[in-house]
Amino acid sequence: MRLIIKEFLSQLGESGELDRLLPDLLTRMRIVPISRAQVGVRQNGVDVAGIGVDTNGVRRLYLFVLKVGDLGRRDWDGGVNTVRVSLNQILDSYLQCNVLPEYRDLPITVVICSTGDLKQEVQTDFAGFCARNNSISLDFTFWSGDHLAELIDQYLFDEYVIDPDQRADLRRTLALIGSRDYDLRHAYDLLKALLIEGAEASVCLGRTGRKRFVRQLKTAALVLEIIFRWAADAGNLLNAFKVGERCCLWAWEGARLRGLAGHPSIKRAVKEIFRSHQRICEAYLQKLRPYYSARDGVSLFSRENALITNTLFEQIGVLAVIGLVHIEVAHFSTDEEQVRRAIDQAGEAAGALLELISNNPSSASPRYDGNAIDIALALMLLYLAGGHEQAKQWLEDLAARITFSWQTSNSFPISTDSFDDLLALELGILDQGQISKLKDLSTLIPVIMHWCAMLGESALYQRLSHLQANVFKDVCLQLWYPDQATEPLIYMQQAQYDSGTTEAPIRFPADITGFLGAQRLRAQSGNFVGPEAFSAVKEGLPVLIPMACRHFRTPLAPQFWLPDVPAA
């Protein structure tokens, strides 16, 4: 395990990564951080400061200088960001001006904390510096990557948080994370053990149980970071993205089961997991962006022609959730730089989505009715990002191709999620009865018609409405709506089979005015629960609902598409 942690540490950057991990470690070591690194603020040599008790029971002020990688002669001296310069700044400036009055009488330990080693060529220099400056009240020490890995293993991965079986699951996950066929079962088992198991028994444990769950959330965040680094190195960020989604969903479900979803410390820990997943989203988008910009670029990731469209719509759903995650982070972040970056990333995700759609003509030819989930998510992102005209054009293309495929009974979106059914249709080995069974219901057409109304596409809505009597006359148009029994399921599994209500068959009014009137009446009827019935929405993390729908393939109900549209 320590070798795994050491390898993980070697991949960290100093800013935004190591300085984010260290305060959590110090807290577990009973060293309370009193200051953290800030971008653009003069640090006077100190990245993190904390107050704690040493092995002799003496209360001390700890000052940490953070560096990444092995430290050689060039890192020790000779530039503005070298170790020697930082130590001199501490002696000349920080100790004179930055130590608060209540801490000035405490003994001080200055720690050079690195993810690597102190090379032999500078060990004598460091020893000489310590000999000149160490005193009864001040000493300098070095934490190597090996020592840091040992501390992380001891304090963040201790036996009270992650047992040997769970460590084995982590090792198996890292060994298989690069495989495209890996089902991530070991990662999911580990996250389930950390976040879900024993949740009901912990509801009434009070402050002790709450602190333990915060610790489990932080451990899950560290596990996610480790998996992310390994997946990036193995060239399979899609697996990291899937683990990130599951970690966000189960972190919230664990909080909900414990009755802690609204507690500030729990929400802060969950949001840290969100930020880790946001970094995965950012890395995924940057890696795949060239393929989105290339004509038919997604086809490179499919081994069979019949799988190309499936891969394409998977990417459409993934990109949509990436954009929505960035929007969510922008909403709950308090740091202006984080907000600006999240907004920029959301815009980039929307731009990449448009490139993906325009460069892959089959984006208007879904092959599964379940692709309605991905289409709804993508339209939601485009709407929120201001891409209304592009969304309208995509709706036009979708409607035209789906209508033609239905009329010809060729390459239409089948009502099952079976690849065998799709392949049999492609090969032309089905009789008319079997084909009719694969086109007997549709949620995709109602989703398109709803979005026609949302985007004001009256002419397209009317055309589709008129086709109900002929092209779609034998098709059961339907939509699923959640109910009070949905939330205990939605973060864990497909929710539509054990909860909710299906409206079927749907007969759409002839024009948008009639449709909107029917929507208002439905919202006022009280027969369907609104978004506010879900704890994630009430507590300010509404993106968890579309994320859960994409991850577990639960239909995304109309009331979640846009917050300012009447619930349907």
Side-chain angles (χ1 to χ4, degrees):
M1 179 60 72
R2 291 180 185 177
L3 289 174
I4 290 173
I5 298 171
K6 175 70 183 299
E7 178 64 24
F8 162 67
L9 290 172
S10 71
Q11 301 175 43
L12 295 183
E14 177 184 329
S15 177
E17 295 183 331
L18 180 58
D19 59 2
R20 209 167 34 81
L21 171 64
L22 186 64
D24 289 338
L25 174 61
L26 296 179
T27 301
R28 292 295 303 279
M29 296 173 64
R30 300 182 181 273
I31 299 175
V32 180
I34 58 173
S35 72
R36 305 180 185 224
Q38 299 180 56
V39 177
V41 178
R42 183 177 173 85
Q43 306 292 322
N44 286 329
V46 175
D47 294 302
V48 178
I51 300 294
V53 177
D54 63 19
T55 55
N56 297 318
V58 178
R59 192 164 179 255
R60 305 184 73 87
L61 171 63
Y62 290 90
L63 307 177
F64 291 88
V65 179
L66 305 185
K67 300 295 178 182
V68 295
D70 295 335
L71 302 182
R73 189 169 302 282
R74 184 175 299 177
D75 306 292
W76 171 254
D77 203 357
V80 294
N81 293 318
T82 56
V83 176
R84 179 70 176 269
V85 170
S86 296
L87 297 181
N88 285 334
Q89 285 179 332
I90 292 173
L91 291 171
D92 297 338
S93 302
Y94 191 93
L95 297 181
Q96 310 305 319
C97 306
N98 292 71
V99 178
L100 297 175
E102 58 265 36
Y103 303 137
R104 284 179 182 164
D105 294 331
L106 295 179
I108 299 169
T109 294
V110 178
V111 181
I112 304 166
C113 180
S114 173
T115 58
D117 297 313
L118 192 65
K119 291 184 178 180
Q120 188 174 3
E121 63 193 46
V122 295
Q123 289 178 2
T124 303
D125 295 328
F126 179 62
F129 183 91
C130 293
R132 280 194 309 275
N133 294 284
N134 280 2
S135 63
I136 295 176
S137 60
L138 175 66
D139 66 89
F140 294 80
T141 188
F142 177 74
W143 287 6
S144 67
D146 288 314
H147 182 61
L148 199 56
E150 181 180 355
L151 292 174
I152 291 172
D153 188 30
Q154 179 181 351
Y155 290 100
L156 293 181
F157 279 155
D158 64 26
E159 66 274 16
Y160 297 106
V161 177
I162 181 168
D163 64 30
D165 289 342
Q166 294 162 13
R167 292 174 183 233
D169 282 333
L170 178 57
R171 287 193 291 268
R172 293 187 187 102
T173 298
L174 300 180
L176 298 170
I177 196 70
S179 172
R180 294 174 63 184
D181 299 322
Y182 178 40
D183 61 7
L184 299 168
R185 68 180 66 183
H186 305 105
Y188 295 159
D189 286 346
L190 173 55
L191 292 177
K192 191 172 186 178
L194 280 172
L195 301 171
I196 302 298
E197 291 178 0
E200 292 84 352
S202 303
V203 172
C204 299
L205 290 183
R207 186 168 180 269
T208 301
R210 186 169 66 247
K211 289 178 67 177
R212 176 174 174 78
F213 186 54
V214 169
R215 193 160 68 243
Q216 290 171 302
L217 287 169
K218 290 181 179 293
T219 302
L222 180 57
V223 166
L224 179 58
E225 287 281 356
I226 291 174
I227 291 173
F228 168 33
R229 305 292 170 173
W230 249 259
D233 191 55
N236 192 345
L237 283 172
L238 182 59
N239 276 349
F241 176 83
K242 292 176 181 177
V243 175
E245 279 190 327
R246 187 71 65 99
C247 193
C248 290
L249 295 170
W250 282 1
W252 188 257
E253 176 64 1
R256 190 191 68 81
L257 289 172
R258 292 170 172 84
L260 298 172
H263 195 277
S265 64
I266 301 298
K267 289 174 70 174
R268 282 195 298 271
V270 171
K271 287 175 181 178
E272 282 305 311
I273 291 177
F274 257 89
R275 289 189 177 95
S276 293
H277 185 51
Q278 182 196 22
R279 284 187 288 277
I280 296 173
C281 292
E282 188 173 347
Y284 186 89
L285 179 56
Q286 293 305 315
K287 179 181 179 180
L288 273 294
R289 187 65 188 265
Y291 298 96
Y292 300 147
S293 303
R295 184 72 175 177
D296 297 318
V298 171
S299 63
L300 298 175
F301 296 94
S302 297
R303 291 166 289 186
E304 301 289 344
N305 287 338
L307 290 174
I308 291 176
T309 304
N310 193 41
T311 301
L312 174 60
F313 277 93
E314 179 186 46
Q315 290 301 305
I316 287 173
V318 166
L319 268 180
V321 170
I322 286 174
L324 295 174
V325 165
H326 286 305
I327 291 173
E328 188 70 76
V329 172
H331 283 164
F332 68 62
S333 293
T334 56
D335 183 271
E336 290 184 5
E337 177 62 24
Q338 289 182 350
V339 172
R340 183 196 62 77
R341 184 171 180 81
I343 292 173
D344 289 346
Q345 288 295 318
E348 187 171 350
L353 176 60
L354 290 173
E355 288 182 349
L356 178 65
I357 291 170
S358 63
N359 285 317
N360 294 271
S362 53
S363 62
S365 301
R367 301 308 312 278
Y368 293 103
D369 185 66
N371 292 143
I373 300 169
D374 309 296
I375 291 170
L377 288 168
L379 289 168
M380 184 176 178
L381 175 62
L382 294 179
Y383 187 95
L384 294 174
H388 296 195
E389 294 305 314
Q390 296 91 333
K392 290 177 182 179
Q393 183 58 57
W394 190 30
L395 278 178
E396 289 274 1
D397 295 341
L398 283 164
R401 292 199 183 189
I402 291 171
T403 301
F404 180 77
S405 68
W406 226 278
Q407 289 173 317
T408 61
S409 294
N410 181 36
S411 298
F412 59 88
I414 63 174
S415 59
T416 73
D417 59 0
S418 169
F419 178 69
D420 290 339
D421 289 341
L422 180 60
L423 188 60
L425 181 65
E426 287 282 305
L427 295 175
I429 59 176
L430 300 178
D431 59 34
Q432 192 57 46
Q434 292 171 315
I435 292 175
S436 297
K437 191 172 182 180
L438 291 178
K439 55 191 295 192
D440 61 353
L441 64 87
S442 175
T443 62
L444 179 56
I445 295 167
V447 164
I448 291 174
M449 295 189 72
H450 270 70
W451 273 98
C452 286
M454 301 297 181
L455 292 168
E457 281 288 274
S458 300
L460 179 57
Y461 176 92
Q462 289 177 346
R463 289 205 306 272
L464 290 173
S465 177
H466 292 155
L467 292 175
Q468 291 180 103
N470 44 69
V471 176
F472 303 126
K473 65 178 180 179
D474 297 322
V475 183
C476 179
L477 304 182
Q478 61 183 49
L479 284 173
W480 175 83
Y481 295 87
D483 60 14
Q484 295 293 345
T486 300
E487 184 166 45
L489 303 173
I490 197 167
Y491 311 114
M492 295 291 295
Q493 63 185 60
Q494 280 186 308
Q496 68 268 35
Y497 298 117
D498 298 306
S499 71
T501 302
T502 300
E503 181 187 12
I506 300 175
R507 300 298 300 175
F508 284 92
D511 57 37
I512 283 183
T513 302
F515 169 82
L516 293 176
Q519 294 297 95
R520 282 191 289 271
L521 290 175
R522 185 178 288 109
Q524 295 165 5
S525 70
N527 294 329
F528 305 107
V529 300
E532 67 282 353
F534 292 81
S535 61
V537 177
K538 287 190 292 187
E539 297 298 337
L541 291 172
V543 75
L544 283 169
I545 305 301
M547 182 187 291
C549 291
R550 194 216 74 82
H551 190 84
F552 292 111
R553 309 311 293 170
T554 298
L556 183 63
Q559 59 261 53
F560 293 112
W561 293 346
L562 297 169
D564 57 345
V565 173

